[in-house]
Amino acid sequence: MGVDQGPSDSGRQPSRNPADALASLAREPVTFRFKGLPPDAEAAGLDVGALAAQRRDLFDGGFTTPLLALSAESLDHNLALLGHYAEQHSLAFAPHGKTSMSPQLFARQLEHGAWGITAAVPHQARVYRAYGIQRIFLANEVVDAAALRWMAGELDADPDVRLVVYVDSVRGVELMDEALRDAGARRPLDVVVELGAGEGARTGARTAADCAAVADAVAATATLRLVGVAGYEGEVPQADEQRVRAWLRRLVELAAEFDRAGRFAESLDEIVVSAGGSAWFDAVALVFAEIPELSRPVLKLLRSGAYVSHDDGHYQELTPFNRVPDEGALRPAFRLWAQVVSRPTPTQAFVNAGKRDAAHDLHLPRAQVVRSARDGRIRPADGITVTALSDQHGWLRTDESAAALEVGDWVGLGLSHPCTIFDKWQLIPVADADGTVVDFVRTFF
């Protein structure tokens, strides 16, 4: 993979050629801006590619704590598994890039067969374009005139670029049309009508009539092109398998209704039907397999993103592979290493990682292993519980089985919620199982 002289660092945009843009990432200087990197690497004037080539040890190679690391083996496994899963179920795959915001991981997802990358906001799409992503599914409404002007420019500048954006209101369509006309857009922007997941859910038109009104508003413009329907089943109230499948069938029926009514653009080669977070992609695969024959082929687009790193909490509990274990299992790829800096009582210890370093929006970190500062041996973190986080400290409760824990020991923490793990770290070492750092992942949040 390698890592970056990003746009903000050099004052210029990386090449739109994906290979050139990714190669530029390896030329980024190793500096104090990146947490945990070896100070001596900066003193030696190394760039990230040179540091990766040295294949340093995660523990003895000069890295400082706290330090987040990704398992090379788990990354490889997860990328291959979801690529294979999508192929086996005849699904196109546009993994949600907001999880990692890492161009290197986007490239690897595309190598494993992804159709494109999903974004949530225009800024993310700008990062994608800066690193050569040609197909972007923006799973959100966009009514920002400045962002729409940028989209129009991207479409007009490159005939191979495809952007697909949500719409869920007549007023939103009016704002989009006005901004695109003012921008002098020469190509229409592809849109999908978002079906809401139910009363009290998030965005999306709530009824079939509402959806039809939005579709009619799109048809009345020359700047927008209706290409399909979409939504997010993770927002279904009181979600269970029955409710999620019922909503997905509503989404499929909406596509069929639009097709029967001739609402899709005449220039369309395929109809987009999209859903799929990281908790219900098995239900999406099942219901999308039932999509009836329409007037044109259907692009059945799955958007799961958290799989790339998985986790030791939220998605460990929610992953569909718990329901379909015969189809595989994802592996947690993250571990946050922190050092014990204080052991004031036999039942209490403090490590030097806190809210600035660890995701804590869904679960507290979980102590998994301890690496002895005396001899480097790694043992299970028996009797150690993370009870709270301060900005830069983790509070540990210890019982008698953790009596050997002492100042200087490294504690390996499992984390929950990939989206908020990645965004606390700009540059993340990727390490083999033996602790050899083989690469770095750059993020752009």
Side-chain angles (χ1 to χ4, degrees):
M1 286 182 278
V3 181
D4 161 291
Q5 180 98 11
S8 61
D9 302 313
S10 65
R12 57 182 172 78
Q13 291 290 327
S15 167
R16 287 296 179 86
N17 179 291
D20 291 346
L22 289 172
S24 76
L25 293 172
R27 297 192 291 274
E28 185 162 21
V30 174
T31 73
F32 61 87
R33 293 181 303 114
F34 301 123
K35 295 190 291 187
L37 295 198
D40 67 287
E42 179 177 8
L46 299 183
D47 61 27
V48 175
L51 180 58
Q54 291 185 351
R55 298 178 68 84
R56 296 195 184 193
D57 184 80
L58 194 67
F59 307 105
D60 300 323
F63 294 92
T64 64
T65 56
L67 181 64
L68 183 70
L70 277 163
S71 160
E73 294 86 356
S74 295
L75 276 178
D76 290 346
H77 171 83
N78 294 343
L79 288 162
L81 179 60
L82 256 290
H84 177 73
Y85 183 90
E87 181 181 14
Q88 288 294 106
H89 290 277
S90 301
L91 298 169
F93 191 25
H96 214 314
K98 71 177 175 65
T99 299
S100 72
M101 287 305 296
S102 169
Q104 298 131 300
L105 294 180
F106 301 160
R108 295 189 63 184
Q109 289 168 320
L110 293 170
E111 289 169 2
H112 282 86
W115 172 91
I117 305 294
T118 294
V121 291
H123 160 71
Q124 294 168 357
R126 290 185 63 202
V127 174
Y128 301 0
R129 288 297 299 130
Y131 288 90
I133 303 300
Q134 294 289 86
R135 292 173 175 167
I136 299 171
F137 188 93
L138 208 161
N140 205 345
E141 283 68 27
V142 178
V143 295
D144 181 330
L148 290 160
R149 285 196 299 272
W150 171 79
M151 291 181 185
E154 293 296 303
L155 292 171
D156 291 345
D158 187 343
D160 293 325
V161 169
R162 186 166 188 200
L163 299 172
V164 182
V165 182
Y166 275 10
V167 289
D168 78 346
S169 70
V170 172
R171 178 57 177 154
V173 170
E174 291 172 352
L175 290 168
M176 295 176 78
D177 179 48
E178 180 181 355
L180 292 168
R181 283 189 287 106
D182 288 348
R186 297 191 300 272
R187 282 179 61 191
L189 176 63
D190 287 348
V191 296
V192 290
V193 172
E194 183 190 6
L195 174 66
E199 290 304 319
R202 203 165 56 189
T203 52
R206 292 300 196 254
T207 68
D210 292 338
C211 291
V214 175
D216 289 343
V218 171
T221 75
T223 58
L224 302 174
R225 183 175 78 147
L226 183 62
V227 301
V229 300
Y232 176 47
E233 75 290 340
E235 280 289 305
V236 170
Q238 298 177 309
D240 58 23
E241 289 189 62
Q242 183 177 353
R243 291 185 178 93
V244 168
R245 290 180 188 180
W247 178 83
L248 287 164
R249 292 189 173 103
R250 281 187 62 205
L251 182 69
V252 168
E253 178 54 28
L254 181 64
E257 288 177 6
F258 278 10
D259 193 40
R260 288 192 294 268
R263 296 188 186 279
F264 293 123
E266 291 183 5
S267 59
L268 201 58
D269 293 326
E270 61 187 6
I271 296 168
V272 178
V273 181
S274 179
S278 295
W280 295 104
F281 56 73
D282 58 331
V284 174
L286 185 149
V287 174
F288 279 15
E290 302 170 354
I291 293 178
E293 184 174 348
L294 302 182
S295 64
R296 278 152 283 191
V298 177
L299 184 75
K300 306 172 184 178
L301 194 62
L302 180 70
R303 306 191 308 270
S304 312
Y307 80 96
V308 68
S309 64
H310 198 45
D311 71 4
D312 282 293
H314 185 67
Y315 287 105
Q316 185 182 57
E317 297 169 2
L318 295 183
T319 176
F321 288 119
N322 291 337
R323 294 186 292 272
V324 288
D326 290 346
E327 298 209 51
L330 293 167
R331 298 176 184 171
F334 277 122
R335 180 164 284 171
L336 177 63
W337 289 98
Q339 273 188 293
V340 177
V341 293
S342 180
R343 189 80 160 95
T345 74
T347 61
Q348 195 174 38
F350 292 87
V351 292
N352 61 346
K355 293 178 181 178
R356 301 298 181 91
D357 313 296
H360 56 91
D361 54 322
L362 296 178
H363 299 92
L364 287 172
R366 299 173 181 175
Q368 295 179 321
V369 295
V370 175
R371 184 180 187 273
S372 170
R374 295 183 183 274
D375 59 18
R377 293 183 182 179
I378 293 178
R379 64 183 187 272
D382 294 336
I384 301 173
T385 304
V386 179
T387 59
L389 295 177
S390 300
D391 270 4
Q392 304 290 181
H393 289 90
W395 296 56
L396 307 185
R397 182 179 66 242
T398 59
D399 64 22
E400 291 181 1
S401 62
L405 185 70
E406 58 183 352
V407 170
D409 287 348
W410 292 47
V411 180
L413 302 170
L415 303 174
S416 178
H417 197 189
C419 297
T420 50
I421 301 169
F422 274 107
D423 74 6
K424 293 180 180 294
W425 294 81
Q426 295 181 63
L427 192 62
I428 307 171
V430 179
D432 283 342
D434 66 358
T436 301
V437 175
V438 296
D439 210 340
F440 293 86
V441 163
R442 179 70 151 96
T443 66
F444 292 91
F445 285 95

